[in-house]
Structures are given as structure tokens and as C-alpha cells.
Amino acid sequence: MNATTPHAAFPYDPQAEARWVPEPDKRPGRTAFQRDRARVLHSAALRRLAGTTQVVAPMRSDFPRTRLTHSLECAQVGRELGAALGCDPDLVETGCLAHDIGHPPFGHTGEEALDQAAQACGGFEGNAQSLRILTRLEPKRFAPLDEEPVRLAPWPGRSVGLNLSRAALDAATKYPWARGEHPTDPGSTKYGVYGDDLPVFRWLRTGAPDGRKCFEATVMDWSDDVAYSTHDVEDGLQAGHIDPAALRSAEERAELFKIAERYAPDASAEEFSQALDGLQAQEWWPRGYDGTARARAGLKDLTSQLIGRFCLAAEQATRARYGPGRLSRYAAELVVPRGVRLECAVLKAVAVRYVMQRDEQAQLRSRQRIVIAELAEVLLRDAPYGLDPVFAALYEEAEDDRAALRSVIDQIATLTDASALALHARLVGGVA
């Protein structure tokens, strides 16, 4: 089977399996999407996520969840949910594994700081950086020098990243639009492509409705929400930051529901209250946590029950709308019942209030912003000194100041939390 032959069991055509730069299949028998999954799994960019903050910074707890463990958990959820709905499971898993691959050191704090540092070259967004890594920065394949320049511009002779299939890149694209082009909210800070990556973005979106995610990306997106909302609460309970009893306090609930509005702005406090009540009424909902083996098993059961609850609800609602056939690409959109979405929003709010908003976390985030800002300043001032060879070459090849700054931002975005601190200590000095 070659890379352009659809898998017999799944409805994907040659256009979905096409690659930016055509390649021969080294080993017959593998599907295009199995190759995609293997490329992401073996990439340095994915391994880097082991040292990148999810909620608690690596090395600050005994068993922290990192961006890598989150991505693996998201991939497991997405693979099973996608397969149940008729997607190619390798394709959905690839999208899930790759969806956070562009997130920088220090989690969302690092993302915000890099966005400030990158204003002169169009800003920074972790999802747009993911596309940039997958299609340009992760060295795996290069475009031929004699390739037609119109199709590959400005790529001839340059890296095309992992050279994933069109469908795999689309499945990893959570926000299929450029900055300022959100289909319903032009002021949104979420977008999926930088201006200088538009050629490959337009290629991967060939035949796609404007602004609409492919079905596999909607499965990935919900799997992402499910994975981090449930696991972040599990971690918060195990670390002693979340007291289940506090969630019955009227004052605490009022503060919690203000945070939940970020994730469901059209919901009322009464709806959030009903969602939380519904969760607390379940026999598997924790009444406390004392660190014993039985309590730890209870937390694992909590996570399992929540994932099953959220995924089964989406599967049943999607089937009710679209019927029993195989669903893929643009034939459907994942349907998630409102009640389940609100339960997920409340869980996200619980993690934010009791884990991310702790005083020590606020102080840590302030130091991390300084590290990113100072790294950007000194690296840009002294470039190409201080840049890794890959990014030093990009800096020296830059056609203008915007491209030069982008190469510096790319360098910082590839760092882990520890390597960002180490580079800061070497170039700037002091202790962050």
C-alpha cells in the first residue's frame, strides 16, 4: 500500500493522505496515518514536552503531569472516541499527540510572555507554533531545490518539518484561521497560523470550509478538554490543593462560577450550580482525600468515570445527529451536550482556582515572565550568538527584521522549563 492509497477500512481519499512533498513509502503495508503517528512519536519536539509545564512545573512535585503526559492522555482519549465514531484511530491520535507540540516553556505564562516579545513579528500563539514546528522547524524532510517554486514558495530547498499528511496536519489544527480572522470573534487571541506559514496552511486546508475544523480536529479538541479538566482536578486533589468539602460552600461556588464563565460565557450561575451538583451526586465523586491506597484508587476511578461520562455523551449525541455510519473530515462535527460542556467548564474552574491561582504559583509566573522577556531581549541583541545552529541559520537567512525576530522567538519556544532557566542564567545571570 503506498501513501496515496486510502486505507480499505476508512473513508479517506488520496487528497487527505497527500504530503506537502511527495515521498515513497519505505515499507509497504503501513497506512499514511500510521506513518504520521510514528513521525510525531519519534520527534524531538514531542520529547521536549516532558520538560514543559502543564499545570505544576516539572520537578515541583513527585509525579507532575507535563505537556507530554497530557498529550499522551489526550491521544488515548481521542483515539478511542474517534474510532467509535468511524475516524481512522491513527489519524486522530496523531492530531492529539501533535496538538500541544508548539507550546513553549512555562505553559500559558510562557505563551503570554512570548506573545509580548513577538509583537513586532506578528505575535506568538502555541497552536500556530505547533503548525510551524510540524511543517518547518522539526527537521525530517527537505523540499527539493528544483521543485516548482509557486507550489512550495517560500520552501524550495528548505525544511518541510515532519512532512505529515494533509489530514494529519488538519487534525492537529484547533484554530484554522490566521490572527484576527476568527469566524465569529475577530478580537480572539486564538489562531492557528502565522502570516509567513500561510502557504502550507492554505495547502493543508484545500477543500475545507472556511474557519471550520475537520471532524478529527473536533474530536481532538474535546479530548483535550476532557483530558486536562479531569486530570488537573485529580492532581489537585492528590496534592492537597483541592478540598471537596469547599465545593459545597456558597461563597466558594460564587468565585468558582466566575472563573467558569471563561469557558462557558453564555451560562448562568444557576446552570453551573446544577452541573456541579450533578457531579457531586455521583457515588464516585470524592468526599475527601487522605493519601491512602484506597483514596488513590478512588481518584483514579474519579478520572475514569469522568472521561467515560464526557466521551460517551459526545459519542451518543453525535450518533443521534449523524447516524451510524463512519464520520470523517467534513462530513460531521462532534456534538457535545450542553450539560456535559458545563460540567467540564466547572472542573476547569476548580483547577484554576485551587491549583493555578495559589499565591506561590502567581509569584512563580511573575519570575517566569521575566525570564522569557530577558531571554528575548538578550538573544535578539546578540544574535546569532546564543542561538542554536538551526536558529542561527534562520537568523542569518532572515530577509527582514520580522523574520530575524521570529527566529529568536522560535529558539525560545523550543526550550524546556529547565533549559530556559539555564540559558537565562548563562546569558543574563542571576537566579530566576
Side-chain angles (χ1 to χ4, degrees):
M1 180 180 297
N2 61 46
T4 59
T5 302
H7 191 296
F10 298 103
Y12 296 95
D13 59 21
Q15 178 171 278
E17 296 187 337
R19 300 183 188 279
W20 183 235
V21 173
E23 297 180 33
D25 195 346
K26 295 188 296 294
R27 181 167 63 82
R30 290 198 304 171
T31 69
F33 306 139
Q34 287 172 335
R35 296 174 71 193
D36 290 331
R37 175 180 174 274
R39 289 183 181 196
V40 174
L41 273 174
H42 288 283
S43 67
L46 184 68
R47 292 196 303 276
R48 180 189 67 84
L49 299 184
T52 306
T53 295
Q54 172 64 11
V55 175
V56 179
M59 308 308 291
R60 288 182 176 267
S61 68
D62 289 337
F63 303 103
R65 278 192 163 87
T66 63
R67 284 278 171 184
L68 177 59
T69 56
H70 163 68
S71 297
L72 295 173
E73 289 161 343
C74 174
Q76 186 275 326
V77 173
R79 183 181 181 92
E80 292 195 9
L81 178 57
L85 292 167
C87 303
D88 185 303
D90 291 308
L91 174 58
V92 178
E93 184 175 357
T94 300
C96 291
L97 288 171
H99 84 282
D100 264 355
I101 214 165
H103 276 252
F106 311 135
H108 291 295
T109 300
E111 187 174 17
E112 293 166 1
L114 272 179
D115 185 46
Q116 287 296 315
Q119 286 301 301
C121 64
F124 180 89
E125 212 285 339
N127 295 277
Q129 192 71 16
S130 293
L131 179 65
R132 188 170 178 83
I133 288 171
L134 295 172
T135 61
R136 189 194 290 252
L137 297 180
E138 176 76 13
K140 171 70 174 178
R141 290 287 182 266
F142 280 74
L145 284 169
D146 58 352
E147 190 70 42
E148 179 189 356
V150 174
R151 189 178 78 81
L152 288 176
W155 270 268
R158 299 186 182 182
S159 171
V160 293
L162 293 178
N163 199 32
L164 301 181
S165 69
R166 174 183 277 118
L169 291 172
D170 209 8
T173 302
K174 183 179 288 193
Y175 307 114
W177 52 79
R179 187 172 192 169
E181 296 182 7
H182 188 291
T184 59
D185 181 13
S188 174
T189 59
K190 298 296 185 182
Y191 56 96
V193 59
Y194 301 128
D196 51 353
D197 294 323
L198 282 170
V200 71
F201 177 77
R202 294 185 180 116
W203 172 84
L204 76 91
R205 295 287 293 171
T206 300
D210 287 345
R212 179 179 163 188
K213 303 172 192 175
C214 67
F215 183 67
E216 293 81 3
T218 64
V219 174
M220 173 272 288
D221 198 4
W222 180 237
S223 300
D224 182 24
D225 281 356
V226 169
Y228 81 73
S229 66
T230 58
H231 290 121
D232 288 0
V233 169
E234 177 191 334
D235 285 353
L237 286 162
Q238 184 163 340
H241 301 315
I242 300 172
D243 177 7
L247 302 182
R248 298 188 180 278
S249 160
E251 292 79 9
E252 284 298 306
R253 281 178 167 237
E255 294 301 317
L256 194 65
F257 299 157
K258 289 178 185 176
I259 298 171
E261 289 177 0
R262 302 178 192 174
Y263 309 109
D266 60 340
S268 65
E270 182 179 355
E271 286 183 292
F272 288 132
S273 183
Q274 290 172 351
L276 183 54
D277 287 344
L279 292 173
Q280 290 175 318
Q282 303 301 315
E283 63 179 0
W284 37 261
W285 184 261
R287 272 61 187 175
Y289 181 75
D290 59 9
T292 62
R294 188 174 295 277
R296 289 191 178 192
L299 281 190
K300 289 300 179 184
D301 186 53
L302 167 69
T303 301
S304 178
Q305 294 283 356
L306 287 169
I307 292 173
R309 181 184 182 90
F310 292 167
C311 288
L312 185 59
E315 179 187 345
Q316 291 176 337
T318 304
R319 286 301 186 196
R321 177 176 297 181
Y322 294 104
R326 292 193 180 278
L327 304 176
S328 66
R329 301 290 279 148
Y330 298 98
E333 295 182 62
L334 190 73
V335 180
V336 181
R338 180 176 176 81
V340 168
R341 282 198 181 276
L342 296 185
E343 289 178 354
C344 186
V346 168
L347 290 180
K348 291 179 186 177
V350 168
V352 169
R353 177 158 175 74
Y354 298 110
V355 180
M356 302 177 201
Q357 290 187 345
R358 289 178 294 127
D359 289 343
E360 63 186 81
Q361 288 294 101
Q363 295 168 7
L364 177 63
R365 287 195 294 272
S366 178
R367 294 195 295 272
Q368 291 170 340
R369 290 189 188 95
I370 293 171
V371 167
I372 294 295
E374 291 183 344
L375 273 178
E377 180 180 0
V378 72
L379 283 172
L380 185 62
R381 183 192 68 204
D382 298 340
Y385 172 76
L387 298 177
D388 290 347
V390 170
F391 303 104
L394 290 176
Y395 179 87
E396 292 173 334
E397 294 169 2
E399 298 175 352
D400 52 32
D401 289 345
R402 286 172 61 92
L405 175 57
R406 179 61 67 187
S407 68
V408 171
I409 298 300
D410 285 339
Q411 163 80 81
I412 299 171
T414 63
L415 299 172
T416 64
D417 291 15
S419 62
L421 293 172
L423 185 61
H424 180 272
R426 179 164 65 87
L427 298 180
V428 180
V431 179

